[in-house]
Amino acid sequence: MDKYNQLWHKIKLHLADILNDNTYHELMQNIDTDILKFENNHVYVKVKNAFTESKINMLYLSKINTIANELFEDKIDFVFISEDKLNDFEIIPTAPIDTQKTDYLTTSLSRNFTFDNFVVGKSNNYAFKVAMKVADQPGVVHNPLYIFGGVGLGKTHLMQAIGNYIISSDLNKKIIYAKADNFIEDYKYFLDTKNPLGFYNKYRSVDILLMDDIQMLSRAEKSQNEFFKIFDTLKNNNKQIVITADCAPKNLKDIMERLTSRFQESLIINIEVPDLQHRVEILRRELKTNYDPEKVPDVPSNCLDYIADNFVTNVRELKGALTSAMTFCEVNKLPVNLSSFKKGLSLLLQTKKRTSTLSENNLDKVQSIVAEYYEVSISELISKSKKYKIALARQIAMYLIRQLYNIPFKKIGEIFGNRDHSTVMSAVDNIDRELKHNQLMVQAVTSLIKKITGK
Ligand code: ADP
Ligand code: MG
């Protein structure tokens, strides 16, 4: 196998890891096992038809290229090309994205929200998997699906990704994405125009209904009634319903019982706050997609750690902070480094009350303070590296988390790259022993505790 086929093979293994089994196998049935050729930094792979080609381009291409560039030294782009285009092959440098046919206007979907650019971590892994399954077989598995979680954690993104995926697989599927307040307005509009039938026809004729922020139906009783009827009709006809909300069904306020009890029968999934490593990963992905790839490697990881440490509970704010800091450097012609980032974000941070109430985030805080102290990056801290400085920082961080928060060894192991609890136990023991005679370490630990607790 030559090196490009080897690369393609490795990429497939990665995809098998991140996609659900059906999606993966269905996709691979339509893609050639071996690459077609390599030319001008492009790896060409043949796919069965234009539909698969556009599906890959829309959903997986950027992920595939990201993996390729992680695995391979030279910059490489993959091009998937359908059999029927092979004749024009010579003149097609990159595959076009064929989404023209899709009538996005009627669905109100935004093309930016795809599975491909949703960064998966512990906090949303389950939600992501379920959403992929639902998108793969709408109306068949997990119907209805109810996704809840705090502001800015990706509910709308995931819900729209389901819609975008379905449209890309079947242009004939009728999808409506609506925020619950638009639903209310829509209802009023049809009543005003004396055309309630138009309203029913619109919502009851869909194959997939994506209803965002259902808590906004609160107190709008008539709209709730209408939604109830639509919900029942769709469900009975095996049409997929996806709902998002800012809380679990049982905590919805001023929404009629018969609706909330229907929601309670749904598959209910929760998106949680991403942990530190996940937040850093989101920032890295953001850099890759929105900034000049030549310059991205120059953003030091302590800059990303700094943002991830200060913007904890909302991915929108997290991404916004990165944009602010990068713009600040550009406008003021400052080097991209920690000190510029601190300056650039100081105002934003002054006005923003830092959220560190969740214990998980306190653990993150310990990791980032220790990482900064020993001048290692968060990813090194969590990595398997045995370099003295990194291993020491890691053991100290484990020790501090254990001492300050009394977290079970197993849990500590999980947040340090899924290490075994026995590894954590021996790290804590080790530091304990050192502290009995190593004055330097005593000083380090004392000063770290001050930084962490603020006392
Ligand atoms: P919510 O609906 O939960 O309030 P959104 O779906 O609107 O949150 O997400 C807010 C912003 O953060 C969007 O720009 C979205 O693309 C982005 N975002 C949220 N979670 C992720 C994630 N896991 N990966 C990438 N972007 C994300
Ligand atoms: Mg939303």
Side-chain angles (χ1 to χ4, degrees), residues 20-27 55 59-60 115 129-141 162 165-166 169 173 240:
N20 98 17
D21 289 350
N22 286 345
T23 315
Y24 174 75
H25 292 301
E26 198 192 303
L27 189 69
K55 186 165 164 177
L59 298 174
Y60 307 113
F115 286 127
K129 284 212 162 130
V130 169
M132 287 277 275
K133 265 198 195 166
V134 166
D136 228 19
Q137 294 177 279
V140 179
V141 288
I162 296 178
Y165 184 97
I166 295 173
S169 351
K173 281 268 191 302
Q240 181 70 45

Side-chain angles (χ1 to χ4, degrees), residues 8 11-12 15-16 18-33 45-49 51-61 64 80 132 136 165 168:
W8 172 224
I11 290 175
K12 283 193 275 188
L15 290 175
I18 50 184
L19 299 180
N20 98 17
D21 289 350
N22 286 345
T23 315
Y24 174 75
H25 292 301
E26 198 192 303
L27 189 69
M28 287 308 151
Q29 271 171 13
N30 294 315
I31 308 183
D32 270 7
T33 326
V45 183
K46 194 172 78 183
V47 301
K48 277 222 173 88
N49 46 42
F51 169 60
T52 310
E53 187 195 288
S54 89
K55 186 165 164 177
I56 293 181
N57 285 334
M58 186 160 159
L59 298 174
Y60 307 113
L61 186 62
I64 289 173
F80 293 88
M132 287 277 275
D136 228 19
Y165 184 97
S168 73

Side-chain angles (χ1 to χ4, degrees), residues 274-319:
D275 62 22
L276 184 65
Q277 204 184 352
H278 188 181
R279 297 199 294 279
V280 172
E281 187 51 40
I282 291 174
L283 293 172
R284 281 193 204 290
R285 188 77 76 80
E286 191 69 2
L287 280 176
K288 271 198 190 135
T289 26
N290 292 339
Y291 293 87
D292 181 355
E294 304 276 302
K295 292 188 188 144
V296 169
D298 297 339
V299 180
S301 57
N302 60 358
C303 290
L304 301 185
D305 291 348
Y306 180 72
I307 295 187
D309 191 30
N310 283 286
F311 296 83
V312 171
T313 57
N314 183 328
V315 177
R316 188 178 295 112
E317 285 181 7
L318 179 78
K319 287 184 172 184

Side-chain angles (χ1 to χ4, degrees), residues 212-230:
D212 206 359
D213 288 323
I214 199 83
Q215 74 278 358
M216 287 185 182
L217 283 190
S218 158
R219 273 183 291 216
E221 278 168 28
K222 283 190 188 139
S223 298
Q224 287 178 30
N225 260 324
E226 295 315 313
F227 185 69
F228 181 78
K229 286 188 248 166
I230 290 165

Side-chain angles (χ1 to χ4, degrees), residues 112-115 117-121 123-124 128 147-160 177 179 212-213 244-245 271 274 278 282 285-286 314-319:
N112 298 329
F113 294 139
T114 61
F115 286 127
N117 60 18
F118 190 79
V119 184
V120 182
S123 62
N124 58 20
F128 180 79
I147 307 170
F148 77 96
V151 179
L153 293 183
K155 303 182 295 295
T156 299
H157 187 138
L158 207 51
M159 164 183 258
Q160 293 214 16
Y177 163 82
K179 279 195 177 294
D212 206 359
D213 288 323
T244 70
I271 301 188
H278 188 181
I282 291 174
R285 188 77 76 80
E286 191 69 2
N314 183 328
V315 177
R316 188 178 295 112
E317 285 181 7
L318 179 78
K319 287 184 172 184

Side-chain angles (χ1 to χ4, degrees), residues 326-344:
M326 292 294 275
T327 316
F328 180 80
C329 295
E330 203 182 316
V331 172
N332 297 296
K333 306 221 168 4
L334 290 170
V336 176
N337 61 25
L338 184 59
S339 131
S340 314
F341 265 46
K342 282 187 175 168
K343 272 191 215 127

